[in-house]
Amino acid sequence: MKPQDLQYTLDWIAIRELVAEYGQAIDFGKDTGDWSRWVNVFTPQVTADYSRLFGEPVTMAREQMAQVGGEALAPFSRVQHATANTVRTHFKSDTEAQVMAYADVGHFFSLGGVPQEWTIVIRYTHDLEKTPEGWRIRRVMLDPIHFRGNPLGLELVKGKRFV
């Protein structure tokens, strides 16, 4: 365990800020089309594991994450990542840590002019690395815990037809 001195406190604060920025930067990217804030939370090579929701884990250059975010959120008019808390920060060394955090992520869209919402309660697990740029996410895993809202409407917005 890392000694709980001033450096521990500074690292702990920086990690909490990074985890909050992860979600806020996604919302900013969706709202503005500028994904640079989100790209900057990652190490130059990042593994994105969203396989519990869709696809397979993939390792890529962090700049590619902008395309991943833009495409994944294309059906929605807005998103809101409410990162509730950082559950646990485990320092593996002075330059590596793992953090878990819960988020309530609202996805908003319109169906036939009627506002709709599809929300996921998520546990994120971030493997972090302390780089010359500061703490960055080397691997992210999304673990959906609960869904609420209109999943059928979501499928229709994505283009699914039943007839």
Side-chain angles (χ1 to χ4, degrees), residues 62-134:
R62 66 179 167 192
E63 291 77 16
Q64 292 174 277
M65 290 298 285
Q67 182 178 351
V68 169
E71 288 175 1
L73 300 177
F76 307 108
S77 55
R78 304 284 309 264
V79 292
Q80 179 185 8
H81 285 72
T83 305
N85 59 347
T86 301
V87 176
R88 177 185 67 89
T89 301
H90 172 68
F91 288 98
K92 296 179 176 185
S93 71
D94 288 343
T95 59
E96 292 185 333
Q98 185 178 72
V99 63
M100 296 172 76
Y102 288 96
D104 194 81
V105 184
H107 301 76
F108 306 97
F109 58 98
S110 180
L111 188 60
V114 179
Q116 304 286 317
E117 178 182 348
W118 180 64
T119 297
I120 311 173
V121 178
I122 295 171
R123 181 178 57 231
Y124 284 109
T125 302
H126 298 292
D127 291 337
L128 309 178
E129 181 179 321
K130 192 172 188 179
T131 71
E133 298 173 296

Side-chain angles (χ1 to χ4, degrees), residues 7-75:
Q7 189 58 54
Y8 171 91
T9 303
L10 294 172
D11 286 340
W12 186 79
I13 291 169
I15 287 169
R16 291 181 73 82
E17 289 292 313
L18 176 68
V19 170
E21 178 65 1
Y22 175 89
Q24 296 298 305
I26 294 172
D27 298 348
F28 182 80
K30 175 61 182 168
D31 288 349
T32 67
D34 178 0
W35 291 92
S36 61
R37 280 179 53 190
W38 197 48
V39 165
N40 287 327
V41 303
F42 301 110
T43 56
Q45 289 290 311
V46 58
T47 299
D49 183 354
Y50 303 123
S51 63
R52 294 178 182 189
L53 191 59
F54 60 85
E56 295 295 323
V58 61
T59 300
M60 66 186 84
R62 66 179 167 192
E63 291 77 16
Q64 292 174 277
M65 290 298 285
Q67 182 178 351
V68 169
E71 288 175 1
L73 300 177

